[in-house]
Amino acid sequence: MAPPPDGHGTGYGTWHPLDGDGCGKSRRGAGRSRAPAGFGPADDARDQSYLKTVKPRTANQEALMAAIDAHPLTIAVGPAGTGKTYLAVTKAVEALTAGRVGRVVITRPVVEAGESLGFLPGDINDKMDPWMRPIYDALADRVGARQVRQMVKDGTVEVAPLAYMRGRTLSRSFVVVDEAQNMTYPQIKMLLTRLGWHSTMVVTGDPDQTDLLPELSGLTEAARRLEALDGVAVVHLTTADIVRHPLVAAMMPLLA
Protein backbone atom coordinates (compact mmCIF):
# COMPACT_ATOMS: atom_id res chain seq x y z
CA MET A 1 0.00 0.00 0.00
CA ALA A 2 1.45 3.34 -0.98
CA PRO A 3 1.49 6.39 1.33
CA PRO A 4 -1.19 9.05 0.82
CA PRO A 5 -0.50 11.43 -2.11
CA ASP A 6 0.55 14.29 0.14
CA GLY A 7 3.17 12.12 1.81
CA HIS A 8 1.56 12.33 5.25
CA GLY A 9 1.07 8.91 6.81
CA THR A 10 -2.08 8.76 8.89
CA GLY A 11 -0.73 6.47 11.56
CA TYR A 12 -0.33 2.84 12.41
CA GLY A 13 -2.86 0.61 10.67
CA THR A 14 -3.22 2.93 7.65
CA TRP A 15 0.26 3.00 6.15
CA HIS A 16 3.51 1.40 7.14
CA PRO A 17 6.77 2.21 5.34
CA LEU A 18 7.42 -1.47 4.66
CA ASP A 19 3.81 -2.32 3.85
CA GLY A 20 4.07 -2.16 0.08
CA ASP A 21 6.19 -5.30 -0.21
CA GLY A 22 3.96 -7.60 1.79
CA CYS A 23 0.86 -9.54 0.94
CA GLY A 24 -1.42 -8.50 3.79
CA LYS A 25 -4.79 -9.51 5.07
CA SER A 26 -7.11 -8.09 7.71
CA ARG A 27 -9.06 -9.39 10.60
CA ARG A 28 -10.94 -7.83 13.48
CA GLY A 29 -9.72 -8.56 16.97
CA ALA A 30 -12.71 -8.91 19.29
CA GLY A 31 -11.28 -10.55 22.38
CA ARG A 32 -13.05 -9.67 25.62
CA SER A 33 -10.36 -10.61 28.09
CA ARG A 34 -8.16 -7.94 29.64
CA ALA A 35 -5.48 -7.09 27.13
CA PRO A 36 -1.97 -7.83 28.36
CA ALA A 37 0.90 -5.43 27.97
CA GLY A 38 0.77 -2.98 25.14
CA PHE A 39 -2.81 -3.42 23.95
CA GLY A 40 -6.15 -1.96 24.90
CA PRO A 41 -9.72 -1.67 23.66
CA ALA A 42 -8.67 0.50 20.72
CA ASP A 43 -6.83 -2.47 19.23
CA ASP A 44 -9.95 -4.64 19.42
CA ALA A 45 -12.16 -1.94 17.92
CA ARG A 46 -10.27 -1.59 14.65
CA ASP A 47 -9.40 -3.85 11.77
CA GLN A 48 -5.94 -5.28 12.35
CA SER A 49 -3.88 -5.58 9.18
CA TYR A 50 -0.75 -7.64 9.24
CA LEU A 51 1.91 -8.68 6.75
CA LYS A 52 2.81 -12.15 5.58
CA THR A 53 6.19 -11.14 4.18
CA VAL A 54 8.52 -8.19 4.54
CA LYS A 55 11.22 -7.20 2.09
CA PRO A 56 14.03 -4.70 2.68
CA ARG A 57 13.74 -1.28 1.07
CA THR A 58 17.46 -0.43 1.00
CA ALA A 59 20.77 -2.24 0.57
CA ASN A 60 21.63 -1.75 4.25
CA GLN A 61 18.29 -3.16 5.34
CA GLU A 62 18.93 -6.16 3.10
CA ALA A 63 22.37 -6.53 4.70
CA LEU A 64 20.78 -6.39 8.14
CA MET A 65 18.27 -9.14 7.35
CA ALA A 66 21.01 -11.32 5.84
CA ALA A 67 23.25 -10.74 8.86
CA ILE A 68 20.51 -11.83 11.26
CA ASP A 69 20.06 -15.05 9.26
CA ALA A 70 23.80 -15.80 9.29
CA HIS A 71 24.98 -14.74 12.77
CA PRO A 72 24.02 -15.58 16.35
CA LEU A 73 24.60 -11.94 17.32
CA THR A 74 23.82 -8.90 15.18
CA ILE A 75 24.24 -5.28 16.26
CA ALA A 76 22.27 -2.78 14.18
CA VAL A 77 23.37 0.82 14.63
CA GLY A 78 21.69 3.72 12.89
CA PRO A 79 19.34 6.70 13.11
CA ALA A 80 15.64 6.65 13.92
CA GLY A 81 13.32 5.40 11.21
CA THR A 82 15.71 3.01 9.49
CA GLY A 83 13.69 -0.09 10.38
CA LYS A 84 16.15 -1.58 12.89
CA THR A 85 13.55 -2.70 15.42
CA TYR A 86 10.91 -3.59 12.85
CA LEU A 87 13.24 -5.86 10.89
CA ALA A 88 14.52 -7.48 14.10
CA VAL A 89 10.95 -8.26 15.15
CA THR A 90 10.20 -9.56 11.65
CA LYS A 91 13.08 -12.01 11.89
CA ALA A 92 12.00 -13.01 15.40
CA VAL A 93 8.51 -13.90 14.15
CA GLU A 94 9.97 -15.84 11.21
CA ALA A 95 12.20 -17.87 13.52
CA LEU A 96 9.33 -18.55 15.92
CA THR A 97 6.84 -19.64 13.27
CA ALA A 98 9.46 -21.82 11.59
CA GLY A 99 10.13 -23.60 14.88
CA ARG A 100 13.79 -22.60 15.06
CA VAL A 101 13.24 -21.01 18.48
CA GLY A 102 10.71 -21.61 21.21
CA ARG A 103 10.17 -18.05 22.34
CA VAL A 104 10.89 -14.42 21.65
CA VAL A 105 12.50 -12.45 24.48
CA ILE A 106 12.28 -8.67 24.27
CA THR A 107 14.25 -6.36 26.50
CA ARG A 108 15.11 -2.69 26.60
CA PRO A 109 16.34 -0.32 29.31
CA VAL A 110 13.70 1.55 31.26
CA VAL A 111 15.09 5.02 30.71
CA GLU A 112 12.75 8.00 30.49
CA ALA A 113 13.34 10.41 27.61
CA GLY A 114 13.69 13.62 29.60
CA GLU A 115 10.43 13.24 31.51
CA SER A 116 9.57 11.46 34.73
CA LEU A 117 6.55 9.18 34.47
CA GLY A 118 6.46 8.53 38.17
CA PHE A 119 5.09 5.34 39.73
CA LEU A 120 3.40 2.98 37.28
CA PRO A 121 0.79 0.53 38.65
CA GLY A 122 0.22 -3.09 37.67
CA ASP A 123 2.37 -6.15 37.06
CA ILE A 124 5.71 -6.15 35.25
CA ASN A 125 4.08 -6.19 31.80
CA ASP A 126 1.88 -3.23 32.74
CA LYS A 127 4.86 -1.28 34.04
CA MET A 128 6.78 -1.92 30.84
CA ASP A 129 3.92 -0.81 28.56
CA PRO A 130 5.20 2.72 27.80
CA TRP A 131 8.58 1.36 26.71
CA MET A 132 7.33 -1.73 24.88
CA ARG A 133 4.61 -0.21 22.71
CA PRO A 134 6.84 0.16 19.60
CA ILE A 135 7.74 -3.54 19.86
CA TYR A 136 4.12 -4.61 20.27
CA ASP A 137 3.10 -2.49 17.29
CA ALA A 138 5.74 -4.20 15.16
CA LEU A 139 4.62 -7.64 16.39
CA ALA A 140 0.99 -6.80 15.66
CA ASP A 141 1.98 -5.82 12.12
CA ARG A 142 3.37 -9.31 11.67
CA VAL A 143 0.85 -11.60 13.40
CA GLY A 144 -2.12 -9.46 14.47
CA ALA A 145 -2.95 -7.87 17.80
CA ARG A 146 -5.05 -10.76 19.13
CA GLN A 147 -2.28 -13.26 18.47
CA VAL A 148 0.25 -11.00 20.18
CA ARG A 149 -1.94 -10.86 23.28
CA GLN A 150 -2.11 -14.65 23.35
CA MET A 151 1.65 -14.98 22.84
CA VAL A 152 2.35 -12.62 25.74
CA LYS A 153 -0.15 -14.47 27.91
CA ASP A 154 1.32 -17.92 27.29
CA GLY A 155 4.95 -16.76 27.47
CA THR A 156 5.84 -17.32 23.82
CA VAL A 157 6.68 -13.62 23.81
CA GLU A 158 8.43 -12.60 27.03
CA VAL A 159 8.99 -9.04 28.19
CA ALA A 160 12.18 -9.07 30.22
CA PRO A 161 13.32 -5.78 31.76
CA LEU A 162 17.05 -5.28 31.58
CA ALA A 163 17.29 -5.19 35.38
CA TYR A 164 15.98 -8.79 35.55
CA MET A 165 18.35 -10.31 32.98
CA ARG A 166 21.39 -10.97 35.15
CA GLY A 167 22.08 -14.66 35.76
CA ARG A 168 19.84 -15.93 32.97
CA THR A 169 20.82 -18.14 30.03
CA LEU A 170 18.59 -17.64 27.00
CA SER A 171 18.64 -20.86 25.00
CA ARG A 172 16.50 -21.60 21.94
CA SER A 173 15.31 -18.02 22.01
CA PHE A 174 15.25 -15.05 19.68
CA VAL A 175 16.31 -12.06 21.76
CA VAL A 176 15.51 -8.52 20.62
CA VAL A 177 17.43 -5.83 22.50
CA ASP A 178 15.97 -2.42 21.69
CA GLU A 179 17.19 1.10 22.52
CA ALA A 180 20.63 -0.23 23.40
CA GLN A 181 22.08 3.29 23.24
CA ASN A 182 20.55 3.76 26.69
CA MET A 183 22.65 0.96 28.18
CA THR A 184 26.01 1.43 29.80
CA TYR A 185 28.94 -0.70 28.68
CA PRO A 186 28.69 -3.03 31.74
CA GLN A 187 24.96 -3.47 31.07
CA ILE A 188 25.55 -4.39 27.43
CA LYS A 189 28.34 -6.75 28.43
CA MET A 190 26.02 -8.45 30.94
CA LEU A 191 23.22 -8.75 28.39
CA LEU A 192 25.35 -10.12 25.55
CA THR A 193 26.64 -12.89 27.80
CA ARG A 194 23.06 -14.15 28.34
CA LEU A 195 23.14 -15.73 24.85
CA GLY A 196 22.58 -19.49 25.04
CA TRP A 197 22.55 -22.45 22.65
CA HIS A 198 20.45 -22.29 19.48
CA SER A 199 19.63 -18.63 20.08
CA THR A 200 19.84 -15.44 18.08
CA MET A 201 20.26 -11.97 19.54
CA VAL A 202 19.71 -8.70 17.71
CA VAL A 203 20.80 -5.48 19.41
CA THR A 204 19.50 -2.20 17.98
CA GLY A 205 20.18 1.40 18.86
CA ASP A 206 21.01 4.93 17.75
CA PRO A 207 24.06 6.34 19.57
CA ASP A 208 22.97 9.87 18.64
CA GLN A 209 19.73 9.52 20.61
CA THR A 210 21.01 8.31 23.96
CA ASP A 211 19.22 9.55 27.05
CA LEU A 212 22.37 8.91 29.07
CA LEU A 213 25.37 11.16 29.23
CA PRO A 214 27.23 10.50 25.96
CA GLU A 215 30.25 9.05 27.71
CA LEU A 216 28.04 6.54 29.59
CA SER A 217 26.42 4.88 26.58
CA GLY A 218 28.18 1.60 25.81
CA LEU A 219 26.66 0.71 22.43
CA THR A 220 29.29 2.27 20.18
CA GLU A 221 32.18 0.82 22.18
CA ALA A 222 30.63 -2.67 22.29
CA ALA A 223 30.03 -2.61 18.52
CA ARG A 224 33.60 -1.46 17.89
CA ARG A 225 35.12 -4.21 20.01
CA LEU A 226 32.98 -7.04 18.63
CA GLU A 227 32.90 -6.11 14.94
CA ALA A 228 35.91 -8.26 14.03
CA LEU A 229 34.63 -11.34 15.87
CA ASP A 230 33.41 -14.33 13.87
CA GLY A 231 29.74 -14.93 14.56
CA VAL A 232 29.03 -11.25 15.20
CA ALA A 233 27.73 -8.86 12.55
CA VAL A 234 27.66 -5.09 13.02
CA VAL A 235 25.43 -3.34 10.48
CA HIS A 236 25.55 0.43 10.17
CA LEU A 237 22.45 2.11 8.76
CA THR A 238 22.37 5.76 7.65
CA THR A 239 19.88 8.51 6.92
CA ALA A 240 19.60 7.07 3.40
CA ASP A 241 17.87 4.05 4.97
CA ILE A 242 15.13 6.04 6.73
CA VAL A 243 11.70 4.78 5.66
CA ARG A 244 9.49 7.09 7.70
CA HIS A 245 8.06 10.38 6.46
CA PRO A 246 10.50 12.02 3.99
CA LEU A 247 10.91 14.94 6.40
CA VAL A 248 12.57 12.61 8.92
CA ALA A 249 15.51 11.99 6.59
CA ALA A 250 15.71 15.71 5.80
CA MET A 251 15.63 16.73 9.47
CA MET A 252 18.25 14.31 10.80
CA PRO A 253 21.35 16.13 9.44
CA LEU A 254 20.00 19.48 10.68
CA LEU A 255 19.22 18.15 14.15
CA ALA A 256 22.49 16.25 14.56
Side-chain angles (χ1 to χ4, degrees):
M1 184 183 299
D6 63 359
H8 295 279
T10 55
Y12 171 73
T14 303
W15 172 68
H16 193 282
L18 298 178
D19 201 26
D21 294 313
C23 176
K25 65 178 181 177
S26 299
R27 70 182 181 185
R28 182 178 299 274
R32 295 183 180 179
S33 59
R34 184 180 75 87
F39 291 95
D43 297 277
D44 285 334
R46 69 187 179 190
D47 284 337
Q48 175 61 60
S49 297
Y50 58 97
L51 305 178
K52 288 182 179 178
T53 59
V54 170
K55 295 180 181 178
R57 285 292 183 90
T58 70
N60 284 336
Q61 288 183 349
E62 183 176 8
L64 173 57
M65 296 182 78
I68 294 172
D69 288 335
H71 299 83
L73 173 61
T74 300
I75 302 175
V77 179
T82 52
K84 303 182 301 295
T85 301
Y86 191 87
L87 294 178
V89 169
T90 293
K91 284 299 183 182
V93 171
E94 287 182 4
L96 186 65
T97 55
R100 296 194 299 271
V101 298
R103 60 179 172 171
V104 174
V105 179
I106 303 164
T107 187
R108 63 186 295 179
V110 181
V111 177
E112 296 161 341
E115 298 182 71
S116 177
L117 297 176
F119 174 77
L120 296 175
D123 61 20
I124 191 62
N125 287 337
D126 295 324
K127 294 178 188 296
M128 288 291 290
D129 277 358
W131 288 270
M132 298 308 301
R133 185 71 207 203
I135 300 285
Y136 287 125
D137 283 349
L139 280 168
D141 250 8
R142 303 296 296 120
V143 298
R146 187 188 302 180
Q147 181 67 16
V148 175
R149 289 194 296 268
Q150 181 59 42
M151 292 164 73
V152 172
K153 184 177 180 180
D154 64 23
T156 305
V157 171
E158 178 188 351
V159 177
L162 177 64
Y164 294 178
M165 294 295 287
R166 187 176 297 278
R168 299 188 61 182
T169 300
L170 302 175
S171 298
R172 203 169 178 269
S173 302
F174 196 109
V175 187
V176 178
V177 182
D178 196 31
E179 299 291 335
Q181 76 274 5
N182 287 331
M183 297 180 185
T184 64
Y185 183 80
Q187 286 175 326
I188 291 180
K189 179 180 177 181
M190 178 274 291
L191 189 60
L192 295 178
T193 55
R194 302 306 95 205
L195 189 64
W197 289 102
H198 308 295
S199 290
T200 296
M201 180 180 290
V202 181
V203 180
T204 71
D206 177 8
D208 292 333
Q209 290 200 90
T210 180
D211 296 307
L212 306 175
L213 293 174
E215 63 271 16
L216 294 181
S217 177
L219 177 60
T220 300
E221 180 64 13
R224 184 189 67 80
R225 293 191 182 197
L226 296 177
E227 193 163 12
L229 188 65
D230 289 341
V232 177
V234 178
V235 179
H236 296 272
L237 297 103
T238 70
T239 54
D241 301 302
I242 292 176
V243 290
R244 288 181 182 163
H245 192 288
L247 270 178
V248 176
M251 287 189 295
M252 290 305 294
L254 301 177
L255 296 175

